[in-house]
């Protein structure tokens, strides 16, 4: 039985004068990657030291200045990895590593052993403060939980004094913050901050985890704003967020939380993390980028990021993952494809200063994606998309009236195969149905004589000779074909253009003709416009199936 009545609604705090809804994100927060800790502990097969090292190097390359590298007191692999980073001097001078520990002395002591010799680091200590955890897991009162937090803060400070050559930052997390009474969460954090005396100049971070996402993002933002307003030593503290994705809103909660006053955001690449995942740094960073805000992280080679993350975590990047997925810049819909083609051309022709292209919130090339990812053809695709593929990949520009007959051919092939049609197959179908012509219908020579407004012409087509008259070369050829084969010919559409500049440029002609009531289309390229037009007519005529008459 799907019984919604067993659940109760989240009880929001009262904040009638909230300010965050009127704000806009104008700069990136401080970022901290937790891929190597939170992301790693969520894997079916945790990363090896080698995999962690590779991912760490990627995070440094992307521009992260704070990286949580593990829980060294919890496992030997985590301990060994931290020692590897320190002993092999793999941590750049501008990067601060962070390690997590529970508020227990033996674990804090082991954590400092793992960090011995590091130049600068964040010691991140936590204990759970939520109502559920206090009552059902630990069986502790409010005072008991606060005492654990304060004692943990004291041990963190005492052991730091044994390593005076390291620049230590302290971080405290009231785990399950989003499920903690706000005044109590503030009370516990105030007590921890008082122990650490931030006014002395030490970097202090208070991290607010939505360990389980319990409410809509706006309610979480209210919690953050309330917390920031009432924290005693707010001016000395960096407020950090660590949102999980149980409701699918971790990115939105982090964005609104920053509007509400937070300074820093913890998250992972692709949102890898426990249960439904963590806050996705790529999504939030690219959201900022698409609004003209510097994300302070470099995602210009998204394909490399995907490959490293997949290799190290064993989790494939979803094809519809925001910004990074294989298909997120791909349009199969015909109307979308046509809009993209027109919008890209408009953007280029008008030299627009800011990107403003239909269906593409950013230029895919900014993150290493090429335009072949934008338009791909299947049975749902329309005429604009097929034409765009030819224009994009083969520099073949067709008049608009040619789009439908071409797309009809390609769509038929897609429906028959049931799969996507590649650009190479689109080109093959275009050549086969509109360009290719047998030797019998190839124009080998022609001769034009103009008298007044009339043209007399003779043509050598395959092995036969024909002649006709008309207002121009094309009309003269139609007259010759009508006389020879006793058919009716009407030109419906005609277009021609030079393929490049200069006097020796080839010309392309496109034609649609009605022959004995049936419509045929063709395209031809030749050394001059007349030859291209004549060959296009012959190619279209050849599609009727009429056999040529051999020369006498």
């Amino acid at each position: 039985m799907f019984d919604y009545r067993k659940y109760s609604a989240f009880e929001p705090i009262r904040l009638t004068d909230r300010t965050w809804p009127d704000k806009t994100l104008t700069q990136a927060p401080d970022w901290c990657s937790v891929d190597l800790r939170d992301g790693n502990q969520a894997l079916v097969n945790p990363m090896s030291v080698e995999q962690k090292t590779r991912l760490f190097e990627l995070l440094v390359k992307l521009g992260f200045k704070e990286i949580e590298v593990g829980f060294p007191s919890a496992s030997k692999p985590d301990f060994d990895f931290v020692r590897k980073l320190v002993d092999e001097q793999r941590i750049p001078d501008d990067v601060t590593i962070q390690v997590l520990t529970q508020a227990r002395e033996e674990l804090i002591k082991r954590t400092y052993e793992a960090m011995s010799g590091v130049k600068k680091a964040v010691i991140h200590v936590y204990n759970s403060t939520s109502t559920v955890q206090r009552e059902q897991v630990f069986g502790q009162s409010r005072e008991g939980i606060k005492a654990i937090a304060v004692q943990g803060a004291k041990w963190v400070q005492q052991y730091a004094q044994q390593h005076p050559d390291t620049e230590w930052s302290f971080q405290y997390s009231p785990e399950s913050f989003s499920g903690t009474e706000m005044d109590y969460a503030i009370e516990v954090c105030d007590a921890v901050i008082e122990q650490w005396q931030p006014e002395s100049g030490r970097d202090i971070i208070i991290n607010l985890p939505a360990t389980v996402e319990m409410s809509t993002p706006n309610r979480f933002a209210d919690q953050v704003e309330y917390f920031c307003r009432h924290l005693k030593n707010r001016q000395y503290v960096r407020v950090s967020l660590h949102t999980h994705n149980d409701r699918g809103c971790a990115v939105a909660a982090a964005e609104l939380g920053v509007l509400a006053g937070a300074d820093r955001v913890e998250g992972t690449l692709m949102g890898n993390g426990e249960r439904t995942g963590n806050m996705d740094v790529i999504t939030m960073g690219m959201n900022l980028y698409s609004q003209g805000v510097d994300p302070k992280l470099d995602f210009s080679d998204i394909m490399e990021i995907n490959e490293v993350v997949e290799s190290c975590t064993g989790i494939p990047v979803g094809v519809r993952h925001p910004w990074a997925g294989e298909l997120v810049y791909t349009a199969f819909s015909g109307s979308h494809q046509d809009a993209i083609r027109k919008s890209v051309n408009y953007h280029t022709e008008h030299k627009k200063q800011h990107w403003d292209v239909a269906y593409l919130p950013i230029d895919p090339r900014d993150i290493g994606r090429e335009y072949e990812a934008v338009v791909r053809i299947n049975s749902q695709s329309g005429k604009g998309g097929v034409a765009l593929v030819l224009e994009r990949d083969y520099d073949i520009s067709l008049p608009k009236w040619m789009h439908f007959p071409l797309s009809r051919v390609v769509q038929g092939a897609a429906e028959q195969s049931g799969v996507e049609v590649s650009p190479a197959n689109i080109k093959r179908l275009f050549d086969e149905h509109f360009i290719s012509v047998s030797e019998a219908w190839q124009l080998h020579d022609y001769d034009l004589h103009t008298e007044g407004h009339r043209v007399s012409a003779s043509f050598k087509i395959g092995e036969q000779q024909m002649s006709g008259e008309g207002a121009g070369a094309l009309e003269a050829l139609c007259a010759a074909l009508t006389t020879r084969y006793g058919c009716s010919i009407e030109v419906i559409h005609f277009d021609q253009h030079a393929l490049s500049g200069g006097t020796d440029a080839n010309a392309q002609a496109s034609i649609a003709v009605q022959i004995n009531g049936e419509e045929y289309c063709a395209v031809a390229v030749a050394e001059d416009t007349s030859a291209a037009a004549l060959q296009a007519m012959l190619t279209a005529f050849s599609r009727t199936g009429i056999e040529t008459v051999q020369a006498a």
Side-chain angles (χ1 to χ4, degrees):
M1 176 66 179
F2 193 64
D3 187 4
Y4 64 89
R5 291 169 295 185
K6 69 188 291 185
Y7 303 102
S8 60
F10 179 80
E11 187 173 340
I13 62 170
R14 182 171 179 79
L15 189 69
T16 57
D17 58 343
R18 62 184 60 85
T19 63
W20 61 262
D22 295 325
K23 297 178 181 178
T24 302
L25 291 175
T26 57
Q27 64 181 23
D30 297 340
W31 300 109
C32 178
S33 161
V34 293
D35 290 85
L36 296 167
R37 197 277 302 170
D38 203 343
N40 183 56
Q41 74 182 38
L43 300 178
V44 175
N45 299 306
M47 286 180 272
S48 65
V49 171
E50 292 72 23
Q51 288 172 318
K52 277 193 166 188
T53 302
R54 187 183 183 203
L55 187 51
F56 177 78
E57 290 172 348
L58 174 67
L59 295 170
V60 170
K61 180 179 178 180
L62 297 181
F64 284 96
K65 301 306 179 185
E66 295 179 279
I67 302 172
E68 190 168 80
V69 295
F71 199 148
S73 63
S75 71
K76 188 175 186 302
D78 269 19
F79 187 97
D80 291 344
F81 174 62
V82 174
R83 289 310 318 161
K84 177 183 177 71
L85 293 178
V86 177
D87 293 339
E88 297 180 5
Q89 299 181 354
R90 291 177 173 269
I91 307 166
D93 290 342
D94 63 344
V95 172
T96 301
I97 64 169
Q98 174 174 304
V99 288
L100 183 69
T101 180
Q102 290 176 332
R104 293 164 51 189
E105 184 176 11
E106 70 275 16
L107 300 182
I108 292 171
K109 179 181 178 181
R110 180 66 168 165
T111 299
Y112 277 96
E113 290 173 359
M115 301 290 278
S116 179
V118 70
K119 293 180 180 179
K120 56 183 178 179
V122 177
I123 300 296
H124 179 188
V125 64
Y126 75 96
N127 69 307
S128 187
T129 59
S130 71
T131 309
V132 169
Q133 294 265 26
R134 291 197 316 265
E135 296 176 354
Q136 301 179 24
V137 179
F138 299 110
Q140 289 268 13
S141 66
R142 284 190 174 199
E143 286 304 313
I145 292 295
K146 183 170 75 170
I148 292 172
V150 172
Q151 182 59 65
K154 289 179 180 179
W155 283 324
V156 165
Q157 193 168 32
Q158 289 169 8
Y159 280 95
Q161 292 169 357
Q162 298 177 18
H163 302 270
D165 294 334
T166 298
E167 181 183 335
W168 297 109
S169 297
F170 297 157
Q171 175 170 321
Y172 172 70
S173 286
E175 189 196 1
S176 301
F177 162 79
S178 53
T180 303
E181 306 92 330
M182 285 299 99
D183 289 335
Y184 177 63
I186 294 166
E187 178 184 336
V188 173
C189 291
D190 278 340
V192 168
I193 294 168
E194 183 180 358
Q195 178 63 40
W196 284 339
Q197 299 175 343
E199 63 271 16
S200 63
R202 187 184 299 280
D203 179 39
I204 302 298
I205 304 165
I206 295 296
N207 188 53
L208 306 179
T211 308
V212 176
E213 187 177 30
M214 305 177 71
S215 70
T216 52
N218 61 308
R219 298 303 188 191
F220 180 72
D222 282 350
Q223 290 179 316
V224 174
E225 182 164 342
Y226 186 92
F227 182 91
C228 290
R229 284 189 192 182
H230 294 88
L231 195 69
K232 287 182 181 177
N233 290 290
R234 175 67 181 95
Q235 70 271 29
Y236 300 119
V237 174
R238 281 196 292 160
V239 172
S240 178
L241 305 177
H242 183 111
T243 56
H244 277 256
N245 202 43
D246 301 85
R247 294 169 56 95
C249 301
V251 170
E255 290 181 331
L256 299 189
V258 171
L259 293 177
D263 310 294
R264 181 178 185 264
V265 171
E266 295 186 347
T268 62
L269 302 176
M270 312 301 171
N272 290 327
E274 294 194 44
R275 301 181 309 280
T276 57
N278 283 33
M279 206 293 300
D280 182 353
V281 177
I282 288 180
T283 298
M284 185 170 174
M286 288 303 301
N287 288 353
L288 292 170
Y289 181 82
S290 70
Q291 299 299 303
V293 176
D294 182 0
K296 303 297 178 63
L297 295 170
D298 182 2
F299 299 132
S300 60
D301 191 349
I302 204 70
M303 303 305 289
E304 179 192 19
I305 298 171
N306 288 357
E307 190 279 321
V308 173
V309 170
E310 289 181 338
S311 175
C312 292
T313 65
I315 300 175
V317 176
V319 297
R320 296 294 182 186
H321 181 286
W323 305 109
E326 179 187 355
L327 297 180
V328 295
Y329 305 103
T330 301
F332 290 104
S333 162
S335 61
H336 288 202
Q337 292 170 347
D338 186 55
I340 290 171
R341 181 182 64 83
K342 291 175 180 175
S343 192
V344 168
N345 289 341
Y346 183 92
H347 196 276
T348 302
E349 292 167 3
H350 290 78
K351 296 181 174 60
K352 288 179 65 68
Q353 180 182 359
H354 294 108
W355 183 260
D356 187 23
V357 171
Y359 299 110
L360 293 177
I362 65 164
D363 185 342
R365 294 172 298 186
D366 290 352
I367 56 173
R369 301 292 290 275
E370 297 297 334
Y371 276 120
E372 61 263 19
V374 173
V375 174
R376 288 162 59 173
I377 306 302
N378 63 15
S379 61
Q380 302 300 306
S381 303
K383 55 186 183 296
V386 177
L388 176 57
V389 169
L390 285 182
E391 185 174 338
R392 178 195 68 197
D393 294 354
Y394 299 99
D395 200 25
I396 297 173
S397 180
L398 298 175
K400 190 170 183 178
W401 53 263
M402 271 290 297
H403 293 183
F404 176 72
L406 171 62
S407 69
R408 183 172 53 192
V409 169
V410 175
Q411 188 171 26
E415 291 172 351
Q416 185 174 7
S417 66
V419 297
E420 178 184 353
V421 184
S422 68
N425 274 335
I426 292 173
K427 176 62 164 57
R428 179 186 60 79
L429 290 166
F430 172 69
D431 288 344
E432 178 183 330
H433 288 268
F434 301 99
I435 291 282
S436 298
V437 63
S438 67
E439 172 64 26
W441 289 105
Q442 289 182 14
L443 178 68
H444 290 294
D445 195 13
Y446 66 95
D447 187 33
L448 305 177
H449 298 281
T450 302
E451 296 181 9
H453 297 291
R454 301 291 293 173
V455 172
S456 299
S458 60
F459 312 95
K460 184 178 182 182
I461 304 165
E463 297 182 3
Q464 60 180 319
Q465 295 283 341
M466 293 187 197
S467 59
E469 293 185 359
L474 190 58
E475 188 175 313
L477 177 58
C478 290
L481 293 169
T482 298
T483 300
R484 177 64 62 94
Y485 296 103
C487 57
S488 64
I489 301 176
E490 179 183 357
V491 176
I492 302 172
H493 297 292
F494 179 74
D495 177 87
Q496 63 182 13
H497 63 272
L499 295 179
S500 62
T503 57
D504 57 349
N506 284 347
Q508 175 182 295
S510 304
I511 196 168
V513 294
Q514 196 171 70
I515 302 172
N516 291 339
E518 294 290 329
E519 186 174 326
Y520 303 92
C521 298
V523 178
V525 175
E527 293 181 353
D528 61 74
T529 54
S530 293
L534 296 172
Q535 184 58 67
M537 170 60 77
L538 293 173
T539 302
F541 196 86
S542 74
R543 301 302 194 257
T544 63
I546 297 175
E547 296 295 332
T548 59
V549 177
Q550 297 298 312

